[in-house]
């Protein structure tokens, strides 16, 4: 069947000229991409090009985004969907980028039913039918092993394909929800116990905030420190390998 979207994509790709020098400068140095084959890198570049053609990546609060900065964000956003396709981000039109940490005003209801407003400083946020919001300072910084803000927020968008984020994105037909739940619950309980005992955790302890954060933090580790995740929680690594249809530990030799 003829599809306008497919036709438009073919036109875009035919005219595509990714700025290779900016790609090398902004993206080439990302450790995340280590081990990707030439074919995978070429497919990633095509995805990035389409991502930037279809979504607006906009600087706010006076931040001027260069093409190179947009490339750096898009390459990290597209890596998780390299084998899933850009349709996975169909509920995203805009990425807003603040210069640094931004203040988000949230409402919450306490046990007595009283609604409170609170202002919290954030480095990233993802909305169910809305934008992904990022702090450039955190995108550009050199975080500790296994931390990656862009991948974290875009993992929330994948989780939100089935509604509010709950740590269970829509799984492929050959995956088991029960096995996913068992592997993630075991790892979650282990990390929660360590945090409770005051032990240092190998992976970011923010994960045990709730199951949605756990999925996002495990996804960061899967791409940014795959060896650490494979050794810490092999069950979770296996589930994410099936879900993302990628094996970063294998390609990075760790
Ligand atoms: Zn989060």
């Amino acid at each position: 069947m003829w599809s306008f979207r497919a036709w438009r994509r073919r036109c875009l790709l035919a005219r595509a000229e990714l700025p290779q020098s900016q790609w090398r400068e902004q993206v080439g140095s990302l450790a995340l991409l280590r081990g990707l084959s030439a074919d995978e890198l070429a497919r990633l570049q095509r995805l990035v090009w389409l991502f930037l053609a279809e979504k607006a990546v906009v600087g706010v609060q006076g931040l001027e985004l260069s093409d190179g900065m947009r490339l750096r964000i898009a390459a990290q956003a597209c890596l998780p969907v390299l084998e899933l396709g850009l349709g996975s981000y169909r509920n995203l039109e805009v990425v807003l980028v603040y210069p640094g940490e931004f203040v988000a005003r949230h409402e919450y209801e306490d046990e007595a039913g009283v609604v409170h407003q609170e202002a919290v400083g954030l480095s990233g946020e993802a909305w169910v039918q809305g934008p992904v919001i990022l702090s450039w300072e955190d995108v550009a910084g050199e975080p500790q092993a296994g931390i990656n803000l862009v991948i974290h927020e875009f993992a929330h968008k994948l989780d939100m394909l089935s509604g509010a984020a709950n740590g269970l994105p829509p799984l492929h037909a050959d995956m088991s929800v029960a096995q996913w739940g068992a592997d993630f619950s075991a790892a979650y309980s282990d990390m929660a116990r360590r945090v409770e005992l005051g032990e240092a955790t190998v992976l970011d302890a923010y994960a045990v905030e709730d199951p949605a954060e756990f999925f996002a933090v495990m996804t960061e580790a899967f791409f940014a420190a795959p060896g650490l995740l494979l050794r810490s929680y092999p069950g979770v690594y296996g589930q994410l390998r099936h879900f993302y249809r990628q094996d970063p530990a294998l390609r990075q030799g760790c």
Side-chain angles (χ1 to χ4, degrees):
M1 203 174 73
W2 189 84
S3 141
F4 173 74
R5 182 174 282 257
W7 171 80
R8 187 166 167 270
R9 283 186 172 184
R10 275 197 300 276
C11 290
L12 277 168
L13 284 174
R15 282 186 282 127
E17 274 180 53
L18 256 186
Q20 293 297 331
S21 60
Q22 283 173 349
W23 176 272
R24 274 195 299 276
E25 195 178 304
Q26 287 287 344
V27 180
S29 61
L30 290 174
L32 282 174
L33 308 187
R34 226 165 15 95
L36 286 177
S37 68
D39 168 65
E40 287 165 332
L41 273 174
R43 285 193 292 116
L44 181 66
Q45 286 203 356
R46 281 199 293 276
L47 263 191
V48 166
W49 182 255
L50 287 172
F51 182 96
L52 291 172
E54 293 183 1
K55 328 275 183 203
V57 184
V58 182
V60 291
Q61 272 187 355
L63 179 69
E64 288 197 22
L65 282 178
S66 66
D67 288 346
M69 290 158 84
R70 286 194 179 86
L71 273 182
R72 192 176 173 94
I73 291 169
Q76 295 177 78
C78 288
L79 178 64
V81 297
L82 182 60
E83 306 299 337
L84 307 179
L86 213 47
S88 307
Y89 294 147
R90 56 188 170 273
N91 296 332
L92 173 83
E93 288 175 5
V94 180
V95 180
L96 296 176
V97 189
Y98 282 82
E101 197 175 81
F102 55 93
V103 176
R105 290 177 204 289
H106 290 168
E107 273 190 358
Y108 70 96
E109 201 176 309
D110 69 16
E111 285 164 5
V114 180
V115 176
H116 300 266
Q117 283 210 338
E118 62 175 3
V120 280
L122 296 176
S123 56
E125 197 173 30
W127 294 39
V128 177
Q129 293 289 343
V132 161
I133 309 172
L134 301 167
S135 141
W136 175 254
E137 202 176 274
D138 292 82
V139 174
E142 292 197 359
Q144 60 199 93
I147 305 275
N148 185 290
L149 175 67
V150 179
I151 290 184
H152 180 106
E153 298 307 333
F154 279 83
H156 282 318
K157 286 304 277 192
L158 297 176
D159 191 353
M160 289 166 178
L161 283 170
S162 50
N166 62 358
L168 177 64
L171 302 182
H172 306 303
D174 62 348
M175 294 181 72
S176 152
V177 172
Q179 192 57 50
W180 175 281
D183 286 327
F184 271 83
S185 298
Y188 190 99
S189 304
D190 176 78
M191 192 187 271
R193 185 182 53 80
R194 287 171 195 274
V195 169
E196 189 131 353
L197 292 173
E199 283 180 27
T201 54
V202 178
L203 302 168
D204 187 1
Y206 176 66
V208 292
E209 188 83 3
D210 61 44
E213 294 309 332
F214 195 76
F215 169 68
V217 171
M218 292 301 111
T219 292
E220 285 178 77
F222 180 72
F223 288 104
L228 278 187
L229 178 62
L230 181 59
R231 286 188 290 280
S232 305
Y233 299 122
V236 167
Y237 185 91
Q239 291 297 335
L240 294 179
R241 184 165 53 82
H242 278 114
F243 178 69
Y244 290 108
R245 296 178 171 148
Q246 298 186 47
D247 196 341
L250 180 71
R251 71 177 173 234
Q252 295 189 8
C254 54

